[in-house]
Amino acid sequence: FDFANKPKAVLPFHKYKTQVLNRAGLLLLAGLLLHVASLFFRIRYENGFIYYVIYFTTIPLSFVLAIPWFYRMKKKSVLLFRIFTGLSLISFAVYLFHLSPYVEIFQLFTAGKTLFYVTGIFLIYLVVVFITAMLWYKYVETPLTNLRERKQ
Protein backbone atom coordinates (compact mmCIF):
# COMPACT_ATOMS: atom_id res chain seq x y z
CA PHE A 1 0.00 0.00 0.00
CA ASP A 2 1.43 3.32 -1.05
CA PHE A 3 0.83 5.78 1.79
CA ALA A 4 1.99 8.72 -0.32
CA ASN A 5 -0.89 8.15 -2.74
CA LYS A 6 -3.53 7.24 -0.19
CA PRO A 7 -7.16 8.14 -0.81
CA LYS A 8 -7.96 11.79 -0.10
CA ALA A 9 -10.96 10.84 2.02
CA VAL A 10 -8.54 9.91 4.83
CA LEU A 11 -7.97 12.92 7.04
CA PRO A 12 -4.25 13.76 7.22
CA PHE A 13 -4.01 14.38 10.99
CA HIS A 14 -0.26 13.81 10.94
CA LYS A 15 0.14 17.02 8.92
CA TYR A 16 -1.45 19.06 11.71
CA LYS A 17 0.59 17.75 14.63
CA THR A 18 2.30 21.10 15.30
CA GLN A 19 -0.96 23.05 15.18
CA VAL A 20 -2.66 20.60 17.52
CA LEU A 21 0.23 20.63 20.00
CA ASN A 22 0.33 24.44 19.97
CA ARG A 23 -3.30 24.43 21.08
CA ALA A 24 -2.90 21.70 23.71
CA GLY A 25 -3.85 23.99 26.60
CA LEU A 26 -6.96 25.18 24.80
CA LEU A 27 -7.95 21.61 23.96
CA LEU A 28 -7.44 20.58 27.59
CA LEU A 29 -9.67 23.45 28.73
CA ALA A 30 -12.31 22.47 26.17
CA GLY A 31 -12.15 18.87 27.40
CA LEU A 32 -12.53 19.95 31.03
CA LEU A 33 -15.48 22.20 30.18
CA LEU A 34 -17.08 19.38 28.21
CA HIS A 35 -16.59 17.06 31.18
CA VAL A 36 -18.19 19.56 33.57
CA ALA A 37 -21.09 20.04 31.15
CA SER A 38 -21.55 16.28 30.97
CA LEU A 39 -21.82 16.17 34.76
CA PHE A 40 -24.78 18.53 34.44
CA PHE A 41 -26.50 15.99 32.18
CA ARG A 42 -25.65 13.22 34.63
CA ILE A 43 -27.23 15.11 37.53
CA ARG A 44 -30.18 16.62 35.65
CA TYR A 45 -31.20 13.58 33.61
CA GLU A 46 -30.05 10.70 35.78
CA ASN A 47 -31.98 7.85 34.13
CA GLY A 48 -32.97 8.78 30.66
CA PHE A 49 -32.04 8.87 27.02
CA ILE A 50 -30.13 12.15 27.36
CA TYR A 51 -28.10 10.75 30.24
CA TYR A 52 -27.04 7.64 28.36
CA VAL A 53 -26.37 9.40 25.05
CA ILE A 54 -24.84 12.72 26.12
CA TYR A 55 -23.00 11.69 29.28
CA PHE A 56 -21.43 8.50 27.99
CA THR A 57 -20.46 10.17 24.71
CA THR A 58 -18.88 13.30 26.15
CA ILE A 59 -16.73 11.54 28.75
CA PRO A 60 -14.43 9.80 26.20
CA LEU A 61 -14.43 12.90 24.00
CA SER A 62 -13.29 15.08 26.90
CA PHE A 63 -10.38 12.72 27.56
CA VAL A 64 -9.46 12.63 23.88
CA LEU A 65 -9.23 16.41 23.87
CA ALA A 66 -6.72 16.19 26.75
CA ILE A 67 -4.33 13.82 24.92
CA PRO A 68 -2.23 16.59 23.26
CA TRP A 69 -1.67 18.22 26.65
CA PHE A 70 -0.45 14.93 28.12
CA TYR A 71 1.79 14.42 25.10
CA ARG A 72 3.40 17.82 25.64
CA MET A 73 3.62 17.24 29.39
CA LYS A 74 5.95 14.30 28.77
CA LYS A 75 8.55 16.66 27.38
CA LYS A 76 8.13 19.44 29.96
CA SER A 77 7.66 17.92 33.40
CA VAL A 78 9.50 14.77 34.36
CA LEU A 79 7.71 14.58 37.73
CA LEU A 80 4.21 14.74 36.22
CA PHE A 81 5.24 12.26 33.54
CA ARG A 82 6.46 9.81 36.19
CA ILE A 83 3.25 10.25 38.21
CA PHE A 84 1.03 9.57 35.19
CA THR A 85 3.20 6.63 34.13
CA GLY A 86 2.90 5.14 37.61
CA LEU A 87 -0.86 5.65 37.58
CA SER A 88 -1.12 4.00 34.19
CA LEU A 89 0.79 0.95 35.46
CA ILE A 90 -1.53 0.42 38.42
CA SER A 91 -4.75 1.52 36.70
CA PHE A 92 -5.96 -2.04 36.06
CA ALA A 93 -5.47 -2.95 39.70
CA VAL A 94 -7.31 0.21 40.77
CA TYR A 95 -10.12 -0.85 38.46
CA LEU A 96 -10.19 -4.30 40.07
CA PHE A 97 -10.21 -3.06 43.66
CA HIS A 98 -12.31 0.10 43.63
CA LEU A 99 -15.55 -1.89 43.44
CA SER A 100 -14.50 -4.53 45.89
CA PRO A 101 -15.59 -4.95 49.49
CA TYR A 102 -13.90 -1.58 50.12
CA VAL A 103 -16.93 0.14 48.60
CA GLU A 104 -19.29 -1.73 50.88
CA ILE A 105 -17.21 -0.74 53.90
CA PHE A 106 -17.07 2.87 52.64
CA GLN A 107 -20.86 2.98 52.29
CA LEU A 108 -21.30 1.41 55.70
CA PHE A 109 -19.17 4.11 57.37
CA THR A 110 -20.65 7.06 55.43
CA ALA A 111 -24.39 6.45 55.59
CA GLY A 112 -26.07 9.54 57.07
CA LYS A 113 -22.81 11.29 58.00
CA THR A 114 -21.66 14.88 57.44
CA LEU A 115 -19.85 16.00 54.29
CA PHE A 116 -16.62 16.59 56.22
CA TYR A 117 -16.71 13.07 57.67
CA VAL A 118 -17.55 11.49 54.30
CA THR A 119 -14.69 13.41 52.62
CA GLY A 120 -12.23 12.12 55.22
CA ILE A 121 -13.43 8.54 54.85
CA PHE A 122 -13.28 8.89 51.04
CA LEU A 123 -9.64 10.03 51.21
CA ILE A 124 -8.82 7.04 53.42
CA TYR A 125 -10.69 4.83 50.91
CA LEU A 126 -8.59 6.21 48.03
CA VAL A 127 -5.34 5.66 49.92
CA VAL A 128 -6.31 2.05 50.74
CA VAL A 129 -7.33 1.35 47.12
CA PHE A 130 -4.09 2.81 45.72
CA ILE A 131 -1.89 0.97 48.24
CA THR A 132 -3.70 -2.28 47.43
CA ALA A 133 -3.30 -1.58 43.69
CA MET A 134 0.43 -0.87 44.06
CA LEU A 135 0.95 -4.07 46.03
CA TRP A 136 -1.07 -6.02 43.45
CA TYR A 137 1.01 -4.57 40.62
CA LYS A 138 4.31 -5.29 42.37
CA TYR A 139 3.59 -8.80 43.63
CA VAL A 140 1.11 -10.18 41.06
CA GLU A 141 1.19 -8.31 37.75
CA THR A 142 4.96 -7.76 37.50
CA PRO A 143 5.90 -11.42 38.18
CA LEU A 144 3.27 -12.60 35.67
CA THR A 145 4.55 -10.15 33.07
CA ASN A 146 8.14 -11.29 33.65
CA LEU A 147 7.07 -14.91 33.37
CA ARG A 148 5.34 -14.18 30.06
CA GLU A 149 8.42 -12.39 28.72
CA ARG A 150 10.72 -15.27 29.71
CA LYS A 151 8.58 -17.77 27.78
CA GLN A 152 8.79 -15.74 24.58
Side-chain angles (χ1 to χ4, degrees):
F1 184 76
D2 186 9
F3 286 102
N5 295 318
K6 67 180 178 277
K8 300 303 177 204
V10 176
L11 295 174
F13 288 114
H14 63 281
K15 292 182 181 179
Y16 301 107
K17 181 178 178 181
T18 307
Q19 290 86 346
V20 169
L21 289 178
N22 287 340
R23 293 175 178 85
L26 184 64
L27 290 171
L28 176 68
L29 180 63
L32 290 173
L33 290 174
L34 186 63
H35 185 70
V36 169
S38 71
L39 291 176
F40 166 77
F41 287 107
R42 187 182 191 292
I43 293 167
R44 180 87 167 111
Y45 307 102
E46 189 169 339
N47 288 321
F49 177 76
I50 292 177
Y51 167 69
Y52 290 110
V53 172
I54 301 293
Y55 180 70
F56 289 115
T57 303
T58 56
I59 294 298
L61 184 58
S62 66
F63 284 104
V64 165
L65 289 171
I67 288 174
W69 185 83
F70 287 110
Y71 179 83
R72 286 185 63 191
M73 178 202 62
K74 179 172 79 170
K75 296 180 179 184
K76 289 186 176 183
S77 174
V78 175
L79 177 63
L80 278 177
F81 180 70
R82 293 182 96 179
I83 289 171
F84 281 112
T85 301
L87 286 174
S88 70
L89 290 174
I90 66 167
S91 64
F92 180 68
V94 170
Y95 168 74
L96 288 176
F97 291 110
H98 86 283
L99 288 177
S100 64
Y102 297 146
V103 171
E104 298 297 326
I105 294 169
F106 174 72
Q107 290 174 347
L108 179 71
F109 280 105
T110 58
K113 304 294 183 183
T114 64
L115 180 63
F116 181 75
Y117 181 82
V118 170
T119 303
I121 295 295
F122 181 71
L123 291 175
I124 292 170
Y125 164 76
L126 284 179
V127 168
V128 169
V129 166
F130 275 93
I131 288 173
T132 306
M134 286 187 277
L135 291 172
W136 181 267
Y137 177 77
K138 183 176 181 179
Y139 294 112
V140 176
E141 285 184 40
T142 301
L144 288 175
T145 304
N146 293 339
L147 181 64
R148 181 188 68 202
E149 288 174 359
R150 272 189 264 148
K151 286 191 173 195
Q152 290 177 358

